[in-house]
């Protein structure tokens, strides 16, 4: 079988991958972006993005993803949709990419696979996933019209999604383990004024309860971190926003350096330390995980990959 060889493979079609692909293609490299689902990354399940420059009124997450995709295609990058890269194997001075379709050989690779929402790992979570436990308010919020929900977490995602859920739910408990939120102050202030939101601070979820008759979520057991006492919130849905986990399993053990949570370490050029292998966006150890920083890191990695090709 003949294996196609390209200049630059970008793995992941979120803001980092699309921008890396834009720069690589615009720099004249034959570029393929591999995306296993839909382009746009995590923002496509975000209702509104208010902190990406050039949109004074904010922009819908899905719309921003579509605009980025269109721009990258217009610059000549190819997008291999529904194509999952399952392994990156150094071979013939470049990398052999094993996929769920035909394998491909790339002279340089940019890993921009992003991250997925983390799970709490408490009893009831797996059992009631899709039956009251969710990680996406944009996808599932409308099922909770006139119902009571809890949002878990104290970061930007939790508070923004809690605000979104107030459109549907009669009450939104905002359960956070500490007494201060880590989200941007503007959204903290907005939620503090919202009559449907009840913060439940200093509490951690310990179990999600289901109704044996309906098979759906009916309660959430919380433990007070100060005194260990437990209580149960009666509700219909639990939305978890407790951080993210990097998607880095396609990299074999030891191929690149990662931190203890699996985020890929890169230098300021997006280089991983393996010649020709770069990384950008939420899969990396970056301190600020935003659309704008992912796009910036993607640009840097695309530029660095072009420079690397010059050295071959
Ligand atoms: P995050 O900022 O890491 O926040 C995760 C939250 O979950 C924290 O409040 C954390 O509590 C809590 N948490 C973690 N593990 C927990 C557990 N086992 N039990 C209970 N609570 C737990 O994650 P994120 O909100 O998903 O955001 C990820 C990144 O994307 C961040 O860099 C964020 O700024 C960015 N983001 C930005 C926007 C925006 O700018 N519009 C929107 C969404 C996400 P502690 O606070 O006590 O650690």
């Amino acid at each position: 079988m003949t294996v196609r060889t390209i200049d630059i493979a970008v793995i992941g079609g979120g803001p980092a991958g699309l921008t890396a692909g834009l720069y690589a293609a615009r720099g004249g490299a034959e570029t393929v972006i591999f995306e296993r689902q839909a382009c746009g990354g995590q923002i496509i399940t975000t209702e509104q993005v208010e902190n990406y420059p050039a949109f004074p009124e904010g922009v819908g997450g899905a719309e921003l993803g579509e605009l980025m995709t269109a721009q990258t295609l217009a610059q000549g990058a190819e997008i291999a949709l529904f194509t999952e890269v399952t392994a990156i194997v150094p071979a013939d001075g470049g990398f052999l990419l094993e996929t769920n379709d035909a394998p491909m050989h790339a002279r340089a690779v940019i890993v921009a696979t992003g991250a997925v929402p983390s799970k709490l790992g408490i009893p009831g979570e797996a059992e009631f996933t899709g039956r009251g436990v969710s990680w996406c308010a944009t996808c599932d919020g409308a099922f909770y019209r006139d119902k009571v929900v809890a949002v878990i977490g104290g970061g930007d995602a939790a508070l923004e999604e809690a605000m979104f859920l107030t459109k549907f739910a009669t009450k939104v408990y905002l359960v956070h383990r500490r007494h201060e939120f880590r989200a941007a102050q503007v959204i903290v202030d907005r939620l503090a004024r919202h009559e449907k939101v009840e913060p439940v601070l200093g509490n951690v979820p310990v179990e999600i309860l289901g109704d044996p008759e309906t098979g759906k979520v009916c309660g959430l057991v919380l433990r007070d971190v100060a005194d260990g006492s437990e209580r149960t919130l009666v509700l219909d849905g639990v939305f978890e926003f407790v951080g993210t986990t990097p998607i880095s399993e396609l990299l074999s053990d030891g191929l690149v350096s990662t931190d203890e949570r699996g985020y890929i370490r890169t230098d300021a050029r997006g280089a991983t330390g393996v010649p020709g292998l770069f990384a950008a966006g939420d899969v990396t150890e970056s301190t600020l995980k935003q659309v704008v920083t992912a796009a910036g890191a993607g640009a840097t990695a695309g530029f660095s990959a072009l420079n690397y090709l010059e050295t071959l």
Side-chain angles (χ1 to χ4, degrees):
M1 181 177 47
T2 315
V3 174
R4 178 180 168 197
T5 293
I6 58 169
D7 293 324
I8 297 177
V10 180
I11 307 172
L18 289 170
T19 313
L22 169 80
Y23 274 70
R26 197 167 153 77
E30 186 183 6
T31 304
V32 176
I33 300 170
F34 294 86
E35 168 53 54
R36 63 181 177 180
Q37 292 167 355
C39 281
Q42 292 175 73
I43 48 165
I44 60 178
T45 56
T46 302
E47 194 209 14
Q48 193 76 353
V49 177
E50 291 183 349
N51 53 5
Y52 191 76
F55 296 95
E57 310 295 328
V59 57
E63 185 189 354
L64 184 57
E66 281 168 19
L67 288 168
M68 286 184 174
T69 305
Q71 190 168 357
T72 298
L73 286 170
Q75 292 296 333
E78 192 181 317
I79 298 180
L81 265 192
F82 308 118
T83 310
E84 179 164 9
V85 175
T86 51
I88 303 170
V89 184
D92 302 325
F95 302 89
L96 181 70
L97 304 179
E98 291 172 7
T99 78
N100 60 352
D101 196 359
M104 214 180 276
H105 184 268
R107 298 202 292 151
V109 171
I110 299 168
V111 180
T113 40
V116 286
S118 302
K119 296 186 173 178
L120 283 168
I122 57 174
E125 180 186 56
E127 196 180 343
F128 298 109
T129 292
R131 307 186 66 82
V133 180
S134 173
W135 288 264
C136 180
T138 313
C139 321
D140 299 331
F143 295 126
Y144 296 89
R145 195 174 293 283
D146 301 327
K147 301 203 172 208
V148 177
V149 298
V151 166
I152 319 297
D156 285 314
L159 272 71
E160 287 184 7
E161 303 299 306
M163 181 59 96
F164 178 71
L165 286 164
T166 60
K167 288 187 180 186
F168 309 101
T170 50
K171 186 176 194 79
V172 178
Y173 292 108
L174 181 54
V175 179
H176 181 36
R177 61 187 177 184
R178 291 185 300 123
H179 286 269
E180 298 85 36
F181 295 111
R182 65 167 70 231
Q185 195 60 40
V186 64
I187 183 84
V188 173
D189 293 344
R190 221 181 275 167
L191 276 183
R193 291 193 297 268
H194 204 292
E195 56 183 13
K196 285 187 178 178
V197 178
E198 181 176 329
V200 183
L201 302 176
N203 273 265
V204 286
V206 289
E207 185 174 358
I208 296 167
L209 305 175
D211 181 333
E213 278 187 20
T214 62
K216 292 184 181 172
V217 166
C218 66
L220 176 67
V221 183
L222 299 178
R223 181 180 301 139
D224 188 305
V225 292
D227 62 18
S229 61
E230 292 193 356
R231 65 164 161 150
T232 301
L233 300 178
V234 176
L235 42 66
D236 308 285
V238 175
F239 287 79
E240 298 181 10
F241 298 103
V242 292
T244 56
T245 305
I247 304 170
S248 52
E249 61 274 2
L250 77 167
L251 296 159
S252 56
D253 282 350
L255 180 61
V256 297
S257 169
T258 61
D259 70 9
E260 65 287 348
R261 296 166 305 160
Y263 289 95
I264 300 171
R265 293 198 169 100
T266 61
D267 66 13
R269 297 170 303 120
T272 62
V274 178
L277 187 57
F278 302 84
D282 281 9
V283 74
T284 70
E285 219 187 9
S286 55
T287 46
L288 188 61
K289 300 209 182 308
Q290 302 281 305
V291 187
V292 67
T293 48
T300 302
F303 176 74
S304 299
L306 288 168
N307 283 345
Y308 169 77
L309 294 183
E310 294 287 312
T311 67
L312 295 181

